[in-house]
């Protein structure tokens, strides 16, 4: 059977594989809004996914439901959300909306029972808790990985997860789409593609600056298709076909005040 050149190129494109759990949208907790429900279903089915949801779209609730639903589908286990210390109260509050309790811990000994736990990045970075012992892990404010090999947090997480299986997710409201190296850091943690492999496949290299990446023009479409296979960029509910009612900000009312100067 003959194929066209376009079909030949399409067949060579790399997309992230799905390693997750089959889930029906009806299984998502009714407290979630439609765009949140869709994000949860997509992530759980993928198994290793990134959710880049803008401020106010419910990123905290999405993560909690991803972990809750994945554990429910597994029928067992422990989930861990790694987060900045200052947001744990937000997770505790939102967890009540879906009828779960989340417990903050600083060591694995405090997580002997099944359930959902939280810890801060410093605890993982300093080796006090190994997240690989948990069945489902989500990194909140995952932009902490953007430093790539230059940060101890990234190096420790990559060391721990090298060659491991399991369900893991990242979430942040502020990814930098033009900072390619940041996107590659997320892909590496999710075990979608090694950073070196991604650099070679999609980018021109700068011999003087290893992390100064320029996307090959002929690879631009394939690169973003690849990113879209493992990362969800959500700016507003209408991105997924839903109403933006309640999310549209009012027009900015700018009032100028001039303070005269004697100078």
């Amino acid at each position: 059977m003959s194929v066209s050149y376009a079909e030949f190129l399409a067949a060579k494109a790399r997309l992230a594989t799905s390693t997750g759990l089959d889930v029906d949208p009806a299984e998502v907790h009714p407290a979630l809004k439609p765009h949140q429900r869709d994000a949860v279903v997509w992530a759980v089915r993928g198994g290793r996914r990134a959710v880049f949801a803008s401020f106010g779209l419910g990123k905290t609730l999405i993560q909690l439901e991803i972990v809750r639903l994945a554990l429910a589908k597994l029928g067992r286990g422990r989930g861990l959300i790694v987060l900045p210390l200052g947001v744990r109260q937000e997770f505790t509050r939102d967890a009540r909306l879906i009828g779960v309790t989340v417990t903050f811990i600083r060591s694995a000994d405090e997580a002997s029972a099944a359930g959902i736990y939280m810890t801060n990045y410093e605890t993982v970075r300093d080796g006090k808790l190994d997240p690989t012992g948990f069945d489902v892990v989500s990194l909140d404010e995952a932009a902490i990985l953007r430093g790539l090999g230059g940060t101890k947090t990234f190096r420790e997480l990559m060391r721990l997860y090298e060659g491991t299986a399991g369900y893991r997710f990242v979430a942040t409201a502020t990814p930098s789409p033009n900072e390619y190296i940041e996107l590659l850091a997320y892909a590496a943690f999710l075990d979608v593609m090694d950073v070196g492999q991604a650099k070679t496949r999609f980018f021109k290299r700068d011999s003087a600056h290893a992390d100064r990446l320029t996307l090959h023009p002929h690879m631009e479409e394939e690169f973003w298709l690849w990113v879209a296979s493992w990362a969800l960029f959500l700016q507003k509910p209408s991105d997924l076909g839903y109403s933006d009612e309640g999310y549209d900000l009012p027009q900015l009312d700018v009032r100028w005040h001039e303070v005269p100067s004697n100078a």
Side-chain angles (χ1 to χ4, degrees):
M1 181 181 66
S2 62
V3 296
S4 67
Y5 184 61
E7 291 172 329
F8 169 74
L9 292 179
K12 291 175 66 66
R14 284 286 300 274
L15 299 178
T17 58
S18 293
T19 58
L21 301 158
D22 187 30
V23 57
D24 189 293
E27 296 178 275
V28 176
H29 196 283
L32 273 72
K33 297 184 182 299
H35 68 275
Q36 297 167 344
R37 177 199 62 214
D38 287 1
V40 168
V41 170
W42 173 82
V44 174
R45 286 175 177 172
R48 297 181 182 182
R49 294 293 183 261
V51 176
F52 301 142
S54 291
F55 294 104
L57 292 182
K59 176 172 58 66
T60 299
L61 197 56
I62 289 171
Q63 286 182 86
L64 285 163
E65 182 63 0
I66 286 172
V67 177
R68 184 200 72 81
L69 192 53
L71 291 176
K73 299 299 290 184
L74 289 171
R76 56 169 173 75
R78 301 174 302 159
L80 179 69
I81 299 173
V82 187
L83 41 66
L85 196 58
V87 302
R88 63 175 179 171
Q89 296 304 324
E90 180 181 345
F91 275 83
T92 301
R93 183 187 66 244
D94 282 5
R96 298 191 191 104
L97 296 176
I98 57 174
V100 300
T101 299
V102 290
T103 305
F104 185 80
I105 59 172
R106 294 188 183 275
S107 71
D109 294 339
E110 301 174 68
S112 57
I116 302 176
Y117 298 89
M118 302 178 290
T119 196
N120 57 313
Y121 279 101
E122 290 78 10
T123 297
V124 175
R125 181 195 66 195
D126 297 338
K128 298 176 183 177
L129 186 150
D130 183 354
T132 62
F134 293 79
D135 300 280
V136 184
V137 173
S138 182
L139 303 186
D140 181 57
E141 299 298 347
I144 196 169
L145 298 179
R146 65 166 52 119
L148 201 63
T151 66
K152 183 179 178 182
T153 300
F154 180 84
R155 293 195 303 271
E156 181 64 11
L157 283 167
M158 292 305 298
R159 182 189 69 80
L160 290 170
Y161 276 98
E162 183 177 5
T164 64
Y167 305 97
R168 52 188 186 263
F169 307 90
V170 299
T172 179
T174 55
S176 302
N178 294 324
E179 283 291 339
Y180 300 122
I181 199 67
E182 178 182 348
L183 295 176
L184 299 191
Y186 300 136
F189 172 74
L190 296 172
D191 199 27
V192 174
M193 186 180 293
D194 175 76
V195 172
Q197 183 183 0
K199 285 181 178 180
T200 301
R201 183 178 185 87
F202 298 113
F203 299 96
K204 298 177 184 178
R205 304 295 289 273
D206 187 325
S207 58
H209 301 87
D211 289 338
R212 183 180 295 171
L213 305 177
T214 302
L215 192 58
H216 285 297
H218 68 283
M219 296 297 289
E220 184 172 350
E221 182 177 0
E222 181 181 335
F223 174 75
W224 290 113
L225 283 173
W226 171 72
V227 172
S229 71
W230 57 266
L232 173 65
F233 290 82
L234 189 59
Q235 300 295 314
K236 50 189 178 180
S238 58
D239 290 343
L240 297 180
Y242 301 108
S243 171
D244 291 331
E245 184 179 356
Y247 289 90
D248 285 323
L249 294 176
Q251 290 295 318
L252 189 64
D253 181 12
V254 180
R255 302 186 182 186
W256 294 94
H257 297 272
E258 181 177 350
V259 179
S261 171
N262 295 326

